[in-house]
Amino acid sequence: MAKRNYDQMHAQYARMEAYDQWTTPFREDDAITVDKDYVFQPKTRTFKAGKFIVKSLLRTLLPIANKILFDLKIEGKDNLKQVDNAIRVSNHVMLLDTMINFQVAFGHRHFMTGASFQLKKGFPSKFFRAGGFLPLASSIKAMSNLDKTISEIFNNGNSVVTFYAEQAMWEKYENSRPLKKGAFHYAVKNNVPVIMTVILFRQPSWIRRKLGVKKDCTVKVCPAIYPRADLSDKENIDYMQKATQEAYDRAVCEFYGYNYDLYDMRLTPLENKLVAEGLIDKNQTLESKPNDEALKQRVEKDLQERAKAQQPLFYEEDFCDDEEFYDYYDFDIYSDDGLELNEQTV
């Protein structure tokens, strides 16, 4: 499916507030069964040897791969270095964001939770498990075993367990989404902080664009949020969930140029940018169906008419052609981000 179709699907689900709907296809028929007998982290010598080999390979190869694929930049790494154990929450915006999250956790023993259908039969499931993958299952007994495994991991110290708390992956999505409570349950139960890691997309350098790269990645590691001694477990789960969500929302707004006070997850990324610029009304936009292409055309037309009205020295038919207009107003009409406006536009 083309990126434009994915973007439209995301926009429609966001308007409906159906943020946990999967928009990428997946198969379950070739996945292993995660039940009461599944051992999350075997204690055999063979598994430990395989785990050492896999993690050594990842530590060696991932920085190279992430540099080539994403020109990866990490901001706020010290926020993770300063803690011993932590639950880490990440947005889920790429099929390969596991590679990024693994590198960000260098310096800690790293484990990552995810949907059980990702464990395929044969070698892939063995490789994933050796790499620290902890599958989430619907079986009560299996989830009880996962609880015990995570507690054992933290008892060993210097460990990070990562959760994709949005649940579903939305490819290259540039808004935040609501975080579910599961990750915060584990943080409170094990009395460890939560650290929000936000994967953000930026325009590649000129050379990388020529090589066909569409987006590069910056990772923002937010400050740790600790459980509070004066709150009950339930209150702490709510508190940590809300505080982490706020950190996530602010990181997204600061990076993409949204207005935090006007930001709304139900809007598309382009709509949030135009609301921040004061070019469209938030409430009116929420009442309409999302259509970024039509919105760009309407805003471009409005700005062109406004520009012509402010240029009395030109006759209307001689004002400028389309290409000159976009240069004058600093539009990047070929960017995936849509409109890019300078401060003099409005």
Side-chain angles (χ1 to χ4, degrees):
M1 185 184 297
K3 183 181 184 301
R4 181 172 297 180
N5 294 333
Y6 274 121
D7 291 344
Q8 184 62 27
M9 192 185 308
H10 296 157
Q12 291 172 349
Y13 279 136
R15 277 289 202 278
M16 298 163 54
E17 300 184 60
Y19 300 103
D20 57 358
Q21 292 294 316
W22 282 86
T23 58
T24 49
F26 60 86
R27 294 177 55 190
E28 295 184 275
D29 58 332
D30 58 345
I32 69 170
T33 301
V34 180
D35 56 17
K36 63 182 180 62
D37 297 321
Y38 181 83
V39 180
F40 289 89
Q41 289 289 284
K43 302 186 187 308
T44 63
R45 291 182 179 179
T46 302
F47 178 79
K48 290 180 179 179
K51 185 174 179 178
F52 175 80
I53 293 171
V54 169
K55 294 214 167 184
S56 296
L57 286 172
L58 292 174
R59 289 189 182 96
T60 302
L61 299 177
L62 280 183
I64 300 172
N66 286 332
K67 184 64 177 178
I68 293 172
L69 293 174
F70 313 118
D71 190 24
L72 181 63
K73 296 180 180 179
I74 304 174
E75 299 178 357
K77 184 69 181 291
D78 285 346
N79 290 324
L80 186 57
K81 285 183 177 179
Q82 292 169 0
V83 303
D84 180 19
N85 293 322
I87 290 289
R88 186 177 59 169
V89 173
S90 172
N91 56 335
H92 201 3
V93 287
M94 284 194 304
L95 186 63
L96 299 178
D97 50 23
T98 299
M99 294 170 51
I100 292 175
N101 278 319
F102 195 102
Q103 181 178 337
V104 174
F106 280 178
H108 288 78
R109 298 168 60 247
H110 181 231
F111 301 84
M112 179 169 293
T113 64
S116 60
F117 64 75
Q118 298 180 66
L119 285 181
K120 307 304 183 183
K121 296 176 180 177
F123 177 77
S125 66
K126 295 178 181 179
F127 183 89
F128 268 51
R129 182 155 55 170
F133 185 78
L134 305 173
L136 303 172
S138 56
S139 163
I140 295 177
K141 179 60 177 175
M143 289 305 293
S144 175
N145 291 338
L146 176 61
D147 276 14
K148 295 175 183 177
T149 300
I150 291 177
S151 294
E152 289 174 1
I153 287 170
F154 287 136
N155 286 338
N156 290 327
N158 194 40
S159 299
V160 170
V161 179
T162 297
F163 283 79
Y164 289 117
E166 296 165 327
Q167 184 172 310
M169 183 189 74
W170 284 16
E171 184 76 17
K172 302 293 193 302
Y173 195 57
E174 295 183 0
N175 274 356
S176 59
R177 286 182 286 156
L179 303 173
K180 296 182 178 295
K181 290 184 182 293
F184 308 99
H185 157 80
Y186 287 104
V188 172
K189 180 176 180 180
N190 293 282
N191 194 32
V192 299
V194 170
I195 292 181
M196 183 71 211
T197 299
V198 189
I199 299 172
L200 303 154
F201 299 101
R202 67 180 192 275
Q203 290 297 318
S205 65
W206 178 83
I207 294 177
R208 288 177 62 78
R209 287 201 301 271
K210 288 296 183 182
L211 294 173
V213 178
K214 300 296 184 183
K215 295 285 184 180
D216 279 330
C217 292
T218 296
V219 176
K220 172 73 173 179
V221 183
C222 301
I225 298 169
Y226 289 83
R228 288 171 44 180
D230 61 324
L231 299 178
S232 67
D233 285 357
K234 183 179 183 303
E235 290 171 335
N236 255 320
I237 290 172
D238 291 340
Y239 157 69
M240 297 182 80
Q241 181 187 29
K242 291 176 182 177
T244 305
Q245 184 73 60
E246 180 180 352
Y248 180 16
D249 295 345
R250 287 190 181 278
V252 166
C253 289
E254 289 173 4
F255 190 86
Y256 293 121
Y258 307 151
N259 183 325
Y260 179 77
D261 293 329
L262 297 175
Y263 173 68
D264 197 305
M265 293 181 192
R266 295 170 294 176
L267 297 174
T268 70
L270 176 61
E271 289 168 345
N272 271 311
K273 289 180 182 179
L274 295 178
V275 166
E277 293 285 348
L279 295 175
I280 61 174
D281 180 79
K282 171 182 171 179
N283 293 327
Q284 289 181 355
T285 303
L286 286 171
E287 292 174 357
S288 64
K289 293 182 178 180
N291 187 331
D292 280 358
E293 291 302 314
L295 178 62
K296 282 189 285 188
Q297 294 175 12
R298 176 169 68 81
V299 173
E300 288 166 1
K301 181 179 179 181
D302 289 347
L303 284 172
Q304 190 170 20
E305 291 176 351
R306 188 185 308 181
K308 289 179 180 179
Q310 294 175 354
Q311 298 293 326
L313 298 180
F314 293 89
Y315 292 104
E316 182 174 343
E317 61 270 19
D318 296 329
F319 176 71
C320 62
D321 59 27
D322 287 343
E323 184 175 353
E324 291 171 337
F325 168 77
Y326 291 122
D327 290 341
Y328 181 83
Y329 278 94
D330 196 20
F331 281 105
D332 183 359
I333 59 173
Y334 304 107
S335 168
D336 290 337
D337 292 333
L339 303 176
E340 293 183 359
L341 312 175
N342 62 26
E343 293 180 355
Q344 298 177 345
T345 301
V346 182

